[in-house]
Amino acid sequence: MQEAEQTPLRGRGRPARPHGEAREAAVQAAMWLLLNEGYAATTMEAVARHAGMAKKSLYQYAANREELVALVVRGWTDAFLPAMAHDAAAPGEVLPLLKEILQAMVARVLTADAVGLFRLLCTEFPARADLLAVYQRNGIERGTALLADWLGRQGARGHLLLQDGHDGHEMAGLLLAMVIAEPLRQMALGLLQPVPAWDAGPRIDAALRLLGGQAFSVAGASALRGG
């Protein structure tokens, strides 16, 4: 996030930056301020100054800092979409494609910035509930829904079979708990380094082996179906 700190202020009369570039500058500035100076210091005026834009220009992208955080987190989940655009052509392709999807998710939501925001949300500060709701809606819930939709598509194509009473949303939640939630907790506690220092590959492979019934087998496991 250091690049946001070093972004020079634009002088008057300079050509306006392209919309996408200015929006990204605002998002990066908001994130840097949140992680380095705290929620109270992340005012719209401070974000505009840090992003090198007029305050009125900032309001084109967000009405307040909560909406800026929504842009940050939604940008993370948007990064999952290219990997989720591909459907399996045969059952044998489901797990390899799922691995690519999980790798794409990990690569964005277990970075130092993402861990820093999660750590911030674990503390007490004014309007924490509002910010937490933004994070939940645009991050956790949307990411789970996107993965559930992909799993549902594979089921509809006949490449994935779900047990009676279970749906893609439940499976998505369990997968993300194994692959992302627990590492995120450990990273927030300082027990693991964020990606790319931490290699998520072995954990993803272990989760997929479990999903594919290759990790272990239990005698009489069929008796659990009604549990």
Side-chain angles (χ1 to χ4, degrees):
M1 295 303 297
Q2 294 299 319
E3 64 270 17
E5 181 183 27
Q6 298 167 359
T7 302
L9 301 181
R10 293 194 305 113
R12 292 182 178 179
R14 292 189 186 183
R17 285 178 290 188
H19 179 86
E21 181 182 320
R23 180 179 181 274
E24 180 62 17
V27 167
Q28 294 295 327
M31 193 65 177
W32 189 92
L33 286 164
L34 276 170
L35 298 184
N36 291 276
E37 298 189 10
Y39 177 83
T42 311
T43 63
M44 295 297 281
E45 181 177 359
V47 171
R49 182 172 63 251
H50 210 73
M53 63 175 61
K55 188 176 178 180
K56 65 179 181 180
S57 298
L58 179 60
Y59 282 111
Q60 296 178 30
Y61 312 112
N64 50 51
R65 53 190 156 190
E66 284 75 24
E67 288 189 8
L68 282 172
V69 173
L71 290 178
V72 171
V73 179
R74 195 172 184 86
W76 297 344
T77 49
D78 282 346
F80 311 156
L81 296 176
M84 293 179 176
H86 305 288
D87 292 317
E93 294 184 3
V94 172
L95 291 183
L97 285 175
L98 184 53
K99 180 175 181 178
E100 291 181 14
I101 290 170
L102 293 172
Q103 286 174 326
M105 298 179 85
V106 163
R108 196 63 203 87
V109 301
L110 292 181
T111 61
D113 288 350
V115 173
L117 181 57
F118 177 79
R119 188 180 290 122
L120 173 66
L121 289 168
C122 291
T123 65
E124 291 295 332
F125 58 89
R128 173 181 177 271
D130 293 337
L131 205 61
L132 185 58
V134 166
Y135 178 87
Q136 179 78 9
R137 183 170 58 253
N138 292 277
I140 297 171
E141 291 178 0
R142 185 170 186 243
T144 303
L146 289 172
L147 181 56
D149 178 72
W150 185 86
L151 292 169
R153 296 204 316 266
Q154 309 324 302
R157 294 166 72 91
H159 301 328
L160 182 67
L161 300 178
L162 298 173
Q163 295 292 335
D164 293 341
H166 297 271
D167 58 22
H169 194 274
E170 182 181 49
M171 182 185 292
L174 291 171
L175 272 172
L176 296 181
M178 288 188 288
V179 174
I180 292 176
E182 175 56 19
L184 177 59
R185 184 191 70 84
Q186 294 187 44
M187 289 171 187
L189 292 173
L191 302 176
L192 280 182
Q193 291 296 311
V195 296
W198 179 67
D199 179 11
R203 190 176 185 92
I204 292 174
D205 288 340
L208 294 181
R209 286 195 299 271
L210 186 63
L211 183 68
Q214 301 168 2
F216 65 88
S217 60
V218 179
S222 60
L224 297 176
R225 292 178 180 176

